[in-house]
Amino acid sequence: MEQNPIRIAHIMGKWLGGGVEAVVMNYYRHIDRNKIQFDFICDDDSTNIPYDEIEALGGKVILIPPYQKVFQYQKWLKKVLREGNYQIVHSHINALSIFPLRAAKRTRVPIRIAHSHSTTNKVEWKKNLLKNALKPFSKVYATHYFACTEHAGRWLFGDETFDKGEVFILNNAIDTSKFKYNPEIRVQKREELGISDDNLVIGHIGRFVQQKNHNFLIDIFNEVYKQQNNSILLLAGQGPLKGEVEDKVNNLGLKNVVKFLGQRDDVNELYQVFDAFLLPSLYEGLGVVLIEAQCACLPCICSDLVPNDVKVTRNVNFLSLDTGPKLWYQTLVRNSVIDRLSETTKCIDSITRSGYDIKKEVKELERLYIDLLV
């Protein structure tokens, strides 16, 4: 008799098409869905949820009030968990996981996973007030602890818990076949975007939020453009600060050379278009876009506040945000000459060896879920 798959409730919070959502979907696409199925519990003000794909893969999307509506959130979530008869709840909302895992404990869900995908930075002091207030309670309702890196694990769960080996590191793995360098796609996509082969294309993929530091990113590109006026900056993503960034671009006279591409479902093809990738973030749990960019054999310049774990090829350089845009430009120029086609095999081998190939990593997650219920 065929057994039904284990259904796991993934708590996603607001689905906005960011890196966490991309990572969870990568695992969902590759997991053995005869054994394990995902249901996605999202805030009802989410955007960009891939309903059709999730349903085609056998999963469900369940919308509930956001956690800010505390009583409604708890009431609806307990109802969903009770009716779904879930044995595992896996929460991806960092320090906020206390709220869904409390509801999970109240409904007697035996396995409750808190997953740390991020850290923090002193600049975002308002956000930090809530994060730091909730951090001490991160283990109260969780039975198991996951993190994308050691840094993210230590940040949320503490050094003592990490040093005891109680935090499982689940790498933000990608489909290497999807992101590897493809010169044919490069030509096609550049033509589609109206970009010639002579243009130097700098790329960035990320939400328009303070963490991603678009303000400094524009300063860096302004320096690049002063030195090389064949340069173009491509920005993929959306978010609350997009209008401010557009204003800055216009004020600097860069309107014709900075392209706002919006939320995309073709980012794997955009990496082929880029000649270099910039990520001057204020903080990252990992920065999965850098793994994707390295898979496409791109030179990457990122802030030294991004975890070192992300450097899996020789193509990543870390710089302090305290240095000026000129040094970022100089570093970009020094490291931008890569024979991407000949380096492809090396890049993919490095990513696989470092644990970021989804085809290998998903087997570890499958095993872990099954073992947790034994």
Side-chain angles (χ1 to χ4, degrees):
M1 183 176 173
E2 193 173 328
Q3 230 178 357
N4 289 328
I6 301 164
R7 294 200 83 90
I8 298 171
H10 284 267
I11 310 294
M12 304 301 296
K14 290 186 199 324
W15 190 302
L16 301 171
V20 173
E21 296 95 307
V23 168
V24 178
M25 282 301 295
N26 277 340
Y27 275 96
Y28 184 42
R29 292 182 187 110
H30 291 87
I31 208 159
D32 185 344
R33 291 183 298 279
N34 292 317
K35 295 179 182 175
I36 294 164
Q37 260 296 346
F38 288 7
D39 290 343
F40 299 87
I41 301 177
C42 310
D43 293 358
D44 59 16
D45 54 354
S46 294
T47 57
N48 300 302
I49 299 175
Y51 290 98
D52 292 344
E53 182 182 8
I54 289 170
E55 288 168 13
L57 294 174
K60 300 174 194 171
V61 176
I62 303 165
L63 299 179
I64 63 172
Y67 79 91
Q68 290 93 337
K69 299 176 180 179
V70 178
F71 297 111
Q72 290 181 56
Y73 180 84
Q74 291 288 315
K75 179 183 175 182
W76 275 88
L77 187 52
K78 284 190 278 191
K79 180 175 183 289
V80 167
L81 296 179
R82 201 175 288 118
E83 290 177 354
N85 195 30
Y86 296 103
Q87 298 300 294
I88 299 177
V89 169
H90 190 155
S91 179
H92 299 274
I93 56 176
N94 300 313
L96 298 176
S97 290
I98 182 176
F99 299 113
L101 296 185
R102 178 178 183 272
K105 185 171 184 181
R106 293 288 175 90
T107 50
R108 301 180 186 275
V109 177
I111 307 299
R112 304 179 296 275
I113 300 168
H115 196 142
S116 178
H117 287 275
S118 189
T119 56
T120 191
N121 179 274
K122 61 186 177 182
V123 174
E124 292 189 324
W125 63 271
K126 287 183 182 177
K127 264 190 175 183
N128 294 347
L129 292 175
L130 181 60
K131 285 183 177 181
N132 291 329
L134 294 177
K135 254 173 58 172
F137 304 100
S138 61
K139 296 177 287 186
V140 171
Y141 299 111
T143 59
H144 296 81
Y145 319 125
F146 282 25
C148 60
T149 61
E150 176 179 340
H151 184 49
R154 289 184 182 279
W155 176 80
L156 186 57
F157 305 116
D159 291 336
E160 185 179 349
T161 299
F162 192 92
D163 290 337
K164 285 180 180 176
E166 294 177 1
V167 180
F168 176 77
I169 300 298
L170 182 68
N171 289 323
N172 288 356
I174 65 168
D175 183 348
T176 56
S177 64
K178 183 177 175 183
F179 290 94
K180 74 176 182 179
Y181 179 61
N182 186 319
E184 291 178 6
I185 291 177
R186 177 183 171 86
V187 171
Q188 293 165 6
K189 205 69 179 178
R190 280 199 168 211
E191 187 175 334
E192 179 187 315
L193 294 169
I195 297 170
S196 78
D197 194 46
D198 296 333
N199 288 119
L200 172 67
V201 180
I202 311 301
H204 176 83
I205 293 168
R207 295 192 68 237
F208 286 86
V209 291
Q210 191 174 16
Q211 172 195 351
K212 300 300 180 180
N213 204 10
H214 284 85
N215 188 54
F216 186 57
L217 176 62
I218 299 303
D219 288 338
I220 298 167
F221 179 71
N222 190 37
E223 184 65 35
V224 173
Y225 186 69
K226 283 179 189 174
Q227 306 296 333
Q228 296 183 232
N229 64 7
N230 66 331
S231 304
I232 289 175
L233 176 64
L234 298 183
L235 300 174
Q238 61 182 16
L241 300 184
K242 184 180 177 186
E244 288 182 25
V245 178
E246 287 175 324
D247 289 343
K248 177 163 185 166
V249 166
N250 294 339
N251 291 337
L252 289 171
L254 299 172
K255 184 177 181 179
N256 294 328
V257 289
V258 177
K259 296 180 183 289
F260 292 83
L261 302 180
Q263 192 70 27
R264 309 287 295 204
D265 58 10
D266 61 349
V267 292
N268 57 311
E269 296 182 352
L270 291 179
Y271 287 115
Q272 316 307 322
V273 173
F274 301 160
D275 294 304
F277 189 80
L278 290 180
L279 191 73
S281 298
L282 300 178
Y283 62 92
E284 293 284 347
L286 174 76
V288 69
V289 288
L290 281 170
I291 301 295
E292 295 169 351
Q294 287 175 89
C295 189
C297 291
L298 277 169
C300 304
I301 318 296
C302 62
S303 103
D304 60 4
L305 300 173
V306 175
N308 287 332
D309 311 55
V310 81
K311 183 179 174 70
V312 297
T313 70
R314 61 185 181 181
N315 299 333
V316 177
N317 285 269
F318 297 94
L319 285 176
S320 169
L321 294 175
D322 294 331
T323 63
K326 186 168 284 188
L327 181 58
W328 282 69
Y329 163 71
Q330 291 168 347
T331 305
L332 186 151
V333 170
R334 280 199 307 271
N335 294 279
S336 62
V337 182
I338 295 174
D339 184 345
R340 294 170 71 182
L341 193 58
S342 68
E343 291 281 315
T344 295
T345 301
K346 286 181 187 174
C347 289
I348 291 175
D349 285 349
S350 294
I351 286 167
T352 301
R353 281 197 310 272
S354 300
Y356 292 101
D357 185 336
I358 193 69
K359 294 180 183 67
K360 290 185 66 177
E361 297 305 297
V362 74
K363 299 299 179 189
E364 185 70 10
L365 182 60
E366 278 177 21
R367 180 197 61 75
L368 189 63
Y369 278 148
I370 292 167
D371 286 353
L372 288 175
L373 291 175
V374 173

